[in-house]
Amino acid sequence: MDDRLIRFDVKTNKSGSLVPLESLKNIPFDIKRVFYIYGVDPEKKRGQHTQKTLKEVVVCLRGKCKIRLEDATGEKTFELDRPDTGLYIGPMVWREMSDFSSDCILLAVADQLYDEKDYVRDYQEYRKVAGLHG
Ligand code: TYD
């Protein structure tokens, strides 16, 4: 899996902290879209899909949540709970977000505009497309 945690350089001064996210600097692609998720029921899961070509970095700006990633090479669960750390998710990785704290704000930056055609939302279809068996 091509996933990786990216620790951002935090600009902290007497009045607080700031984290710049910049295309092809601390974000490994050209940013074309930004979105954020909040107000998620802690009992509910989100994601449960892959995107065939999208590159994404997610950052938990407040609170915490878990992100489980899976592809042909294995699976991994990350607990995101710091605004200075992003998780890179490459193409064709199945992702499932869960265990959201009620104050969680999850920011995502992506290299493409929203395109439903890039999604695979059916897990069995994903396994087939990704060459996973069993
Ligand atoms: P969805 O992909 O189901 O969210 P999650 O991965 O968090 O479970 O998206 C929820 C809705 O929002 C769905 O109708 C598609 C829409 N959407 C956009 O319009 N633009 C976007 O950039 C994203 C990510 C989703």
Side-chain angles (χ1 to χ4, degrees), residues 1-90:
M1 225 179 301
D2 191 22
D3 61 281
R4 53 189 174 269
L5 288 168
I6 304 170
R7 188 60 63 89
F8 304 126
D9 188 20
V10 182
K11 316 287 179 185
T12 299
N13 63 23
K14 288 192 288 295
S15 54
S17 296
L18 179 153
V19 177
L21 302 182
E22 295 182 284
S23 294
L24 303 172
K25 289 194 171 175
N26 57 357
I27 298 296
F29 50 75
D30 217 358
I31 299 168
K32 198 144 186 195
R33 177 164 54 111
V34 178
F35 61 94
Y36 44 93
I37 297 167
Y38 62 97
V40 180
D41 181 337
E43 305 295 317
K44 293 272 162 63
K45 288 190 175 174
R46 294 194 66 106
Q48 298 178 298
H49 57 71
T50 191
Q51 277 149 272
K52 290 179 236 170
T53 63
L54 192 80
K55 296 175 182 166
E56 207 175 11
V57 171
V58 293
V59 188
C60 183
L61 296 183
R62 168 180 278 187
K64 59 181 178 179
C65 66
K66 287 184 183 163
I67 304 193
R68 191 177 78 82
L69 302 182
E70 178 184 353
D71 74 1
T73 66
E75 67 171 302
K76 237 185 258 181
T77 299
F78 294 86
E79 180 150 352
L80 295 187
D81 59 0
R82 354 179 3 144
D84 66 354
T85 303
L87 174 64
Y88 171 78
I89 307 173

